[in-house]
């Protein structure tokens, strides 16, 4: 690996330190509650990452139009402006968040889906960045962070005690939550999976295609689980009696 590549990969370390620093700032000035701090940093990451991904796509569209933008050669071997650095920053965040959740036990279940999600991303992102391939493919997968914004907003809103399902702010939040769940998570990830399968013969004999298909299969399965959890949460908030009961468990 040459010096330039090592310098570009240093963005991973910077991303990890940046989000850890945000963690310390929130912990010092706002609260020491590990869950609130973790969720706040996650909201920061989702906001910055979704804005970055949208900016990258819009910039590419304005500069070169849609022609060849989603061709296999462009998605597999090309790197849009700021895509590599943006991916490194997110990779750094996932490393930070994995450690923070393990440190404060911010997970539940024998095989926590959130830890599996981060592990899949860390494996796929790190190998792709090291080999400098499929960068644009991975940037497209990160459009789901737009939906994650509203997931984190919901969690912070509930921790702040705003739980009235009839309030306008809660209704608007749920609309945005469901709209972005389908338009920024479910549909893009399905389209990316279909694109990978369609372009499978163009990948050659390397490990890139099996790893990409494994990653997207994992992402789609986690999306289904997330959708079920989201639907159950929606039903609970629509039922005032059960919402009151959940206040003691969530």
């Amino acid at each position: 690996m040459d010096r330039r590549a090592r310098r570009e990969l240093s963005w991973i370390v910077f991303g990890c330190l940046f989000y850890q620093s945000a963690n310390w700032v929130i912990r010092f000035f706002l609260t020491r509650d590990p869950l609130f701090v973790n969720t706040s940093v996650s909201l920061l990451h989702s906001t910055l990452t979704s804005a970055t991904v949208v900016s990258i796509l819009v910039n590419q569209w304005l500069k070169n139009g849609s022609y060849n933008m989603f061709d296999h050669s462009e998605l597999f071997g090309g790197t849009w402006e700021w895509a590599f650095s943006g991916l490194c920053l997110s990779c750094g965040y996932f490393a930070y968040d994995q450690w923070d959740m393990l440190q404060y036990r911010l997970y539940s279940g024998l095989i926590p889906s959130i830890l599996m999600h981060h592990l899949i991303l860390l494996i796929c992102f790190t190998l792709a960045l090291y080999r400098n391939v499929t960068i644009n493919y991975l940037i497209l997968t990160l459009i789901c962070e737009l939906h994650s914004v509203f997931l984190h907003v919901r969690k912070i809103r509930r921790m702040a005690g705003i739980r009235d399902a009839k309030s306008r702010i809660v209704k608007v939040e749920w609309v945005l939550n469901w709209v972005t769940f389908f338009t920024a998570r479910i549909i893009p990830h399905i389209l990316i999976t279909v694109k990978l399968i369609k372009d499978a013969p163009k990948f050659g004999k390397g490990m890139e295609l099996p790893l990409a298909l494994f990653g997207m299969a994992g992402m789609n399965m986690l999306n289904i689980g997330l959708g079920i959890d989201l639907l159950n949460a929606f039903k609970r908030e629509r039922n005032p009696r059960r919402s009151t009961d959940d206040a003691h468990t969530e």
Side-chain angles (χ1 to χ4, degrees):
M1 184 183 297
D2 58 29
R3 183 178 300 178
R4 179 183 177 186
R6 287 197 298 268
R7 186 174 64 250
E8 289 179 336
L9 285 174
S10 66
W11 281 97
I12 298 176
V13 178
F14 176 79
C16 190
L17 293 176
F18 172 78
Y19 288 108
Q20 181 60 64
S21 298
N23 180 301
W24 288 331
V25 169
I26 295 170
R27 189 176 299 276
F28 183 80
F29 287 103
L30 294 180
T31 177
R32 299 182 67 86
D33 177 12
L35 182 59
F36 186 91
V37 174
N38 180 271
T39 306
S40 298
V41 177
S42 296
L43 176 59
L44 175 64
H45 167 257
S46 295
T47 303
L48 293 178
T49 301
S50 57
T52 299
V53 172
V54 171
S55 298
I56 289 171
L57 294 175
V58 170
N59 179 62
Q60 187 66 22
W61 189 288
L62 293 177
K63 287 177 64 177
N64 302 316
S66 60
Y67 182 71
N68 291 334
M69 187 173 175
F70 301 111
D71 282 356
H72 172 75
S73 58
E74 183 71 10
L75 294 176
F76 178 82
T79 303
W80 295 323
E81 188 174 3
W82 291 107
F84 195 94
S85 299
L87 208 60
C88 284
L89 289 172
S90 276
C91 192
Y93 161 77
F94 291 124
Y96 143 79
D97 199 44
Q98 190 85 328
W99 167 249
D100 193 61
M101 286 189 294
L102 288 170
Q103 182 181 11
Y104 293 102
R105 299 184 180 276
L106 303 176
Y107 57 87
S108 59
L110 182 61
I111 306 178
S113 60
I114 185 64
L115 295 183
M116 293 301 299
H117 170 267
H118 282 17
L119 181 61
I120 291 172
L121 291 180
L122 281 171
I123 293 172
C124 294
F125 281 28
T126 302
L127 290 175
L129 289 167
Y130 182 80
R131 296 171 62 88
N132 197 20
V133 293
T134 66
I135 302 301
N136 293 341
Y137 260 120
L138 291 173
I139 280 294
L140 290 178
T141 66
L142 285 177
I143 194 66
C144 68
E145 291 298 332
L146 185 59
H147 171 243
S148 295
V149 169
F150 299 103
L151 286 180
H152 301 318
V153 166
R154 175 183 177 271
K155 185 179 288 187
I156 291 175
R157 182 257 298 172
R158 288 182 62 81
M159 284 190 286
I162 305 174
R163 299 177 175 233
D164 184 4
K166 296 181 180 180
S167 68
R168 180 173 299 179
I169 187 172
V170 173
K171 289 180 179 179
V172 171
E173 176 210 288
W174 270 113
V175 169
L176 294 174
N177 219 316
W178 281 116
V179 168
T180 54
F181 173 72
F182 287 103
T183 60
R185 186 178 293 274
I186 293 294
I187 294 175
H189 286 175
I190 290 176
L191 291 177
I192 291 170
T193 305
V194 171
K195 175 70 173 173
L196 287 171
I197 296 172
K198 180 181 177 182
D199 289 347
K202 302 177 182 179
F203 272 85
K205 298 181 180 180
M207 63 181 295
E208 289 83 5
L209 179 60
L211 188 61
L213 290 174
F214 166 75
M216 291 312 302
M219 290 291 290
N220 284 313
M221 290 179 63
L222 290 172
N223 286 343
I224 293 173
L226 176 60
I228 294 172
D229 290 343
L230 203 60
L231 181 60
N232 289 335
F234 178 72
K235 290 179 178 179
R236 286 197 302 268
E237 288 205 0
R238 296 280 291 181
N239 187 321
R241 179 177 299 176
R242 293 191 63 180
S243 291
T244 302
D245 295 337
D246 290 338
H248 301 287
T249 59
E250 291 192 16

